[in-house]
Amino acid sequence: MKKLVIAYSGGLDTSYCAVSLSKEFEVHAVSVNTGGFTKEEINHIESNAYKMGVTTYKNINAVPTFYDKVVKHLIFGNVLKNATYPLSVSAERIIQAIEIVEYAKSIGATYIAHGSTGAGNDQVRFDMIFQTLAPGINIITPIRDQKLTRQEEIDYLKSEGIDMNWEKSKYSVNKGLWGTSVGGVETLESEKPLPSEAYPSQLENSGEEKVTLTFKNGEFVALNGQQNKPEVNIENLNTIASKYAIGRDIHVGDTIVGTKGRVGFEAAAALITVKAHHLLEKHTLTKWQLQHKEYLSSFYGMHLHEGQYLDPVMRDIEAFLQSSQKMVSGDVTVTLKPYHFSLDGIVSEHDLMSSKFSTYGEENKAWTADDAKGFIKILGNQNKIYQQVNEQSL
């Protein structure tokens, strides 16, 4: 039988795909851990995969890869889509697709399947990566092609003797290193908020707690003085901050296929890390570095969201972002509070607020009053010339 690799999550859609495709193909199920999976959950997914008739199951630990290839640059760029969303799920899908297609090539599979519908973003991200990295591999998408409803999928699985609890939970939750998405009936409309109980983390701590994030060349290298890999620091920060129910919001955005969409999310560590990193940059980068980083970072986040990760322009932007981080080192103190946090301040040897030159709004040490007057006079030259030339037309 022909080898087929399926992106397997263990949910209804991918279970339907695994069972139906195993009639014709030698199915190899793969799930990619980009954060949020426990060992018990992985074991459960593996057990279910074999019940669906797959030949093999493999779980790929891609958390370090996810951080190094994507999350690191999202931090460097302080990327928040529409000034809100840290691209939690869309960023994961890119790495998952790359890992799946590379695995398919490694075992000589000539087919890849995924359970995306024809209505969302993931179909674009998966297909774009698959067809770019492995143009000779055929892509099969039963849910999209057959326009199946959930009930049709459940009925089919029951007819195959697989009668599991397929009832859709009230909220769809997708956990990962860079945040958790939450979808429900409220996010299908424009006016309703998600209720507090929809979010996976509930308020446990009612006081305040200070944490210190240490950055070296833009990377999150230590939490409260404890050095570790950045991805581990992110996980540890999330464990601490989620007890304050920090990082909840709803993102409203444009899908790749042209519709508007809403999704709830909880991303305590992502939001704290991005905001802390941005504050440190405000102290250590020049105003022109900050200005050019802002629009390049926006493009980077947009291209990532749209599935354009493999376009070479992404490597170009990453090179700029990496270069901009040479002086972004220091400590940022953050106070955690119920449902929110505040940035206290930074300590860095590269702090450009150095008092050796001036104290903002109070005194100058590097220039005289006459220097300032001459600077302002020349700075205003073009405005004065424009006004004089065009005086009659105003």
Side-chain angles (χ1 to χ4, degrees):
M1 297 178 75
K2 294 165 286 190
K3 282 186 178 180
L4 176 145
V5 166
I6 182 172
Y8 185 75
S9 67
L12 175 61
D13 294 335
T14 57
S15 295
Y16 173 89
C17 293
V19 173
S20 61
L21 292 172
S22 64
K23 308 289 186 185
E24 183 181 352
F25 299 93
E26 178 184 299
V27 177
H28 299 268
V30 180
S31 59
V32 181
N33 180 12
T34 47
F37 283 101
T38 65
K39 186 176 180 180
E40 292 73 21
E41 287 170 336
I42 293 170
N43 290 338
H44 181 68
I45 293 171
E46 179 177 15
S47 174
N48 282 348
Y50 285 114
K51 292 177 183 177
M52 305 303 152
V54 306
T55 302
T56 66
Y57 169 81
K58 183 177 180 64
N59 179 271
I60 299 173
N61 177 21
V63 174
T65 303
F66 180 40
Y67 168 78
D68 191 59
K69 297 295 185 182
V70 178
V71 172
K72 176 172 69 176
H73 299 106
L74 294 177
I75 297 172
F76 289 172
N78 310 308
V79 175
L80 296 175
K81 185 105 169 34
N82 291 356
T84 304
Y85 181 48
L87 293 178
S88 306
V89 176
S90 49
E92 288 182 1
R93 294 293 185 257
I94 299 301
I95 294 302
Q96 290 166 354
I98 291 173
E99 292 287 346
I100 289 165
V101 75
E102 292 298 334
Y103 179 72
K105 289 158 64 175
S106 75
I107 67 169
T110 52
Y111 294 84
I112 295 183
H114 61 82
S116 300
T117 70
N121 291 325
D122 286 344
Q123 59 172 335
V124 181
R125 295 170 185 138
F126 280 122
D127 282 15
M128 290 267 285
I129 297 293
F130 293 163
Q131 67 189 21
T132 301
L133 294 182
I137 293 181
N138 298 294
I139 303 170
I140 299 179
T141 55
I143 309 302
R144 176 173 62 183
D145 295 344
Q146 299 173 39
K147 299 180 181 179
L148 296 168
T149 65
R150 287 184 60 84
Q151 193 56 52
E152 288 172 334
E153 294 174 55
I154 292 171
D155 292 342
Y156 173 80
L157 290 171
K158 286 183 177 179
S159 73
E160 292 292 321
I162 301 173
D163 189 6
M164 301 173 69
N165 181 18
W166 298 116
E167 294 305 316
K168 189 175 182 180
S169 60
K170 189 173 181 180
Y171 295 100
S172 174
V173 177
N174 185 93
K175 291 184 179 181
L177 174 71
W178 205 229
T180 300
S181 67
V182 183
V185 64
E186 295 89 353
T187 59
L188 299 177
E189 300 176 354
S190 300
E191 70 274 16
K192 297 179 181 178
L194 281 168
S196 179
E197 61 268 20
Y199 294 95
S201 299
Q202 297 298 306
L203 182 64
E204 297 181 34
N205 294 349
S206 58
E208 294 186 358
E209 180 176 353
K210 290 188 182 295
V211 294
T212 300
L213 285 67
T214 301
F215 294 89
K216 183 176 181 181
N217 304 129
E219 295 201 57
F220 183 10
V221 297
L223 175 63
N224 291 333
Q226 185 69 41
Q227 292 188 357
N228 219 319
K229 295 179 180 178
E231 61 268 28
V232 175
N233 290 327
I234 291 168
E235 291 173 339
N236 291 341
L237 175 60
N238 199 69
T239 298
I240 296 171
S242 62
K243 291 181 171 57
Y244 291 89
I246 288 171
R248 299 175 173 186
D249 208 340
I250 291 182
H251 167 58
V252 180
D254 297 285
T255 66
I256 304 171
V257 294
T259 59
K260 293 283 186 181
R262 293 177 91 216
V263 64
F265 67 91
E266 176 185 287
L271 291 179
I272 293 169
T273 303
V274 164
K275 292 295 186 180
H277 174 267
H278 194 197
L279 177 63
L280 184 59
E281 281 195 330
K282 291 176 185 178
H283 282 264
T284 58
L285 298 187
T286 68
K287 68 177 178 180
W288 300 124
Q289 283 181 299
L290 290 167
Q291 179 170 330
H292 291 295
K293 272 188 81 267
E294 186 172 341
Y295 66 79
L296 283 173
S297 298
S298 177
F299 275 115
Y300 187 83
M302 175 59 75
H303 294 329
L304 185 69
H305 174 270
E306 301 284 307
Q308 298 287 349
Y309 177 77
L310 294 179
D311 191 291
V313 74
M314 296 293 276
R315 309 293 81 78
D316 299 334
I317 298 175
E318 287 168 357
F320 173 88
L321 293 175
Q322 182 79 56
S323 176
S324 73
Q325 300 302 294
K326 291 177 183 176
M327 301 303 173
V328 186
S329 299
D331 295 335
V332 184
T333 304
V334 181
T335 298
L336 309 180
K337 310 169 186 179
Y339 303 109
H340 70 294
F341 63 93
S342 59
L343 302 173
D344 298 341
I346 70 105
V347 176
S348 172
E349 62 180 321
H350 304 294
D351 187 358
L352 299 181
M353 280 189 66
S354 172
S355 60
K356 290 188 295 184
F357 299 98
S358 68
T359 301
Y360 177 69
E362 293 188 11
E363 61 177 337
N364 55 282
K365 301 178 182 178
W367 58 85
T368 66
D370 286 339
D371 292 337
K373 293 174 184 177
F375 164 73
I376 296 166
K377 184 175 183 179
I378 294 173
L379 184 65
N381 248 348
Q382 191 167 79
N383 283 340
K384 288 185 289 185
I385 293 169
Y386 180 88
Q387 295 294 333
Q388 291 170 15
V389 169
N390 298 290
E391 187 175 4
Q392 300 303 317
S393 62
L394 292 178

